[in-house]
Amino acid sequence: MSSLFSPDLVRSKTGIILMNLGGPAKQDEVHDFLLRLFSDGDLIPLPFQKYAAQVIAKRRTPKIKEQYNQIGGGSPIRKWTTEQGTAMEKILDEISPETAPHKHYIAFRYAHPLTPEALAQMKEDGIERAVAFTQYPQYSCTTTGSSMNELYRQLQEWDPERKMKWSVIDRWHVHPGLVQTVANHIEEGLAKYPADKRDGVIILFSAHSLPMEIVNKGDSYPSEVAATVEAVMNKLNYKNSYKLVWQSQVGPRPWLGPQTNKAILGLGENGYNDQLLVPIAFTSDHVETLFELDLEYGEEAHEAGITGLTRAESLNADPVFLQAMADIVKAHLKETAPEGSSPISKQFSIRCPGCTNETCMNTRDYFRQ
Ligand SMILES: C=CC1=C(C)c2cc3[nH]c(cc4nc(cc5[nH]c(cc1n2)c(C)c5CCC(=O)O)C(CCC(=O)O)=C4C)c(C)c3C=C
Ligand SMILES: [Fe+2]
């Protein structure tokens, strides 16, 4: 018999849903991860999307399985997000007692736990105050935009009576805690070079690229990534030379450059042997850091005779970053308290220039209220 005070009757007050891309935790999840990814018209609009997604996912699965095989069998995104969310909720309970208790939920776009799984749990927990907290520091219609559209669609089914009151953290690309963590990781990375070489190390900030079609529509991601880079370099007093480069392009169409691997080789040819790669648009390790940067580009550099290529740590479970996550949510909860400002940011409420996606407008209207 459960008493009135049993723990299962204690309801969480504030739910924070951490939205991210996700990744296959195991080899046999790779196909479905790719199928969901290529089925997403907000990320890759394809003619005959459903059919094309099936064909491309099937064709691509063996190659991508092998990449995950080489990084230990699966993506570590879920492990890191769980660790980050658990630490964040503990810090929040201490620094924001007025909105406690806090509970995190994970909503990945292409891997488990998917948005419906997070919403089912939130409903079971009786969450009434909910925060959609994107785990992409910089906003792109292809990433945070896609996650928000999915959240909007799923909420029609999971909460038709709109019992949950939502607000949205849609970007945090120049938050001091983010900037400080990246700057610390750069300092640690530079410290691994011999003292007489340290000042000559080139810092290469690497972000996932975007197709030029999306850039040309005015997507805010490139300028927000650049703003993060400038804030970090400012924090470091511009102590080293640096460059912003773009990785992971897929398919034959033009993508935003310069490409990370080409920049590494080009700099090497010009005599810059010591290069520190810094992942700048993702909050944890994933296949693009562990496989692409460390193994693939590392090997290409080695073959070209570049011996000084290293990588700064990802944010992962760095305590400075965990504190930053809690600070971002605390400030947001304060700002959006009943007497506070709008539940969505000004940038999120404005339609992106060139956007013709009707769902985006409906999503904005839904979360604005
Ligand atoms: C800020 C991060 C990311 C942006 C922006 C982004 C845009 C984007 N991605 C694709 C296509 C693919 N991405 C894939 C994997 C993948 N993408 C990101 C991040 C961003 N993508 C991450 C972290 C990962 C890996 C997740 C993990 O498992 O650890 C893939 C799958 C791998 C592959 O097939 O190569 C594709 C495809 C597009 C088209 C795009 C912008 C339009
Ligand atoms: Fe991607």
Side-chain angles (χ1 to χ4, degrees):
M1 204 178 81
S2 66
S3 91
L4 196 59
F5 301 103
S6 76
D8 55 322
L9 285 183
V10 177
R11 296 254 152 124
S12 280
K13 215 169 145 194
T14 308
I16 300 132
I17 187 163
L18 304 177
M19 303 183 306
N20 209 340
L21 185 124
K26 292 187 293 208
Q27 295 266 307
D28 59 11
E29 292 175 14
V30 170
H31 172 267
D32 288 359
F33 163 73
L34 291 177
L35 183 60
R36 289 186 200 101
L37 193 147
F38 285 104
S39 302
D40 180 6
D42 291 336
L43 182 78
I44 317 175
L46 296 167
F48 310 107
Q49 187 101 34
K50 219 174 149 191
Y51 172 74
Q54 284 174 3
V55 173
I56 301 169
K58 195 171 171 204
R59 198 178 56 212
R60 209 165 163 79
T61 295
K63 179 182 162 191
I64 303 305
K65 259 190 174 175
E66 181 47 33
Q67 293 184 0
Y68 284 104
N69 185 31
Q70 291 195 37
I71 63 162
S75 172
I77 293 184
R78 185 171 184 170
K79 168 193 157 304
W80 286 121
T81 312
T82 305
E83 217 171 297
Q84 291 163 341
T86 308
M88 176 197 72
E89 72 196 19
K90 278 207 188 88
I91 302 172
L92 270 171
D93 284 350
E94 276 169 30
I95 65 174
S96 184
E98 59 281 11
T99 51
H102 306 86
K103 183 169 175 188
H104 85 277
Y105 301 84
I106 299 175
F108 286 149
R109 188 68 186 86
Y110 313 118
H112 295 289
L114 296 158
T115 307
E117 295 167 64
L119 291 178
Q121 191 59 55
M122 289 170 89
K123 204 169 172 181
E124 202 182 311
D125 291 347
I127 294 290
E128 288 175 5
R129 173 74 176 92
V131 179
F133 182 13
T134 183
Q135 292 304 290
Y136 303 99
Q138 304 89 3
Y139 186 90
S140 169
C141 296
T142 65
T143 54
T144 299
S146 168
S147 284
M148 288 306 303
N149 287 348
E150 175 65 1
L151 183 59
Y152 160 71
R153 280 189 295 267
Q154 293 297 336
L155 278 169
Q156 315 302 308
E157 267 182 49
W158 284 94
D159 188 20
E161 291 163 22
R162 300 199 64 164
K163 285 194 175 146
M164 287 184 215
K165 294 287 161 264
W166 284 91
S167 61
V168 180
I169 304 173
D170 65 318
R171 68 199 80 205
W172 38 282
H173 53 293
V174 287
H175 187 273
L178 168 72
V179 171
Q180 185 66 62
T181 318
V182 179
N184 292 348
H185 289 197
I186 292 175
E187 295 279 23
E188 287 157 19
L190 290 174
K192 291 184 183 149
Y193 288 86
D196 59 329
K197 289 193 166 177
R198 220 164 276 160
D199 292 349
V201 177
I202 303 261
I203 301 169
L204 282 184
F205 292 94
S206 186
H208 196 300
S209 186
L210 269 193
M212 281 312 290
E213 264 170 33
I214 293 168
V215 175
N216 290 338
K217 275 190 189 163
D219 195 279
S220 56
Y221 173 80
S223 56
E224 291 185 12
V225 173
T228 310
V229 168
E230 283 309 308
V232 171
M233 286 312 299
N234 193 32
K235 186 99 216 153
L236 291 168
N237 253 328
Y238 293 91
K239 61 196 277 182
N240 283 57
S241 298
Y242 67 102
K243 232 178 187 331
L244 171 55
V245 292
W246 306 88
Q247 67 178 93
S248 319
Q249 63 176 65
V250 192
R253 295 212 179 134
W255 285 61
L256 183 61
Q259 285 181 44
T260 304
N261 56 342
K262 292 192 176 154
I264 294 169
L265 299 180
L267 285 165
E269 274 174 25
N270 288 328
Y272 295 98
N273 181 62
D274 296 333
Q275 306 176 22
L276 176 64
L277 284 166
V278 181
I280 196 64
F282 218 69
T283 50
S284 63
D285 272 319
H286 53 287
V287 77
E288 262 105 20
T289 52
L290 302 172
F291 176 79
E292 200 172 346
L293 293 183
D294 295 354
L295 300 178
E296 200 175 27
Y297 298 172
E299 206 167 299
E300 282 179 36
H302 184 73
E303 280 168 13
I306 299 167
T307 55
L309 180 71
T310 60
R311 177 171 70 79
E313 290 291 322
S314 297
L315 306 179
N316 293 341
D318 184 317
V320 181
F321 177 61
L322 302 176
Q323 180 69 44
M325 285 177 70
D327 288 343
I328 291 166
V329 176
K330 181 189 166 160
H332 171 82
L333 286 169
K334 207 169 159 206
E335 214 177 87
T336 51
E339 71 284 1
S341 62
S342 162
I344 64 174
S345 74
K346 274 191 187 144
Q347 290 127 304
F348 187 57
S349 69
I350 299 166
R351 192 178 192 137
C352 301
C355 177
T356 52
N357 183 337
E358 266 321 300
T359 313
C360 291
M361 220 49 223
N362 295 336
T363 299
R364 281 163 170 76
D365 286 345
Y366 182 92
F367 288 102
R368 195 181 277 130
Q369 287 156 21

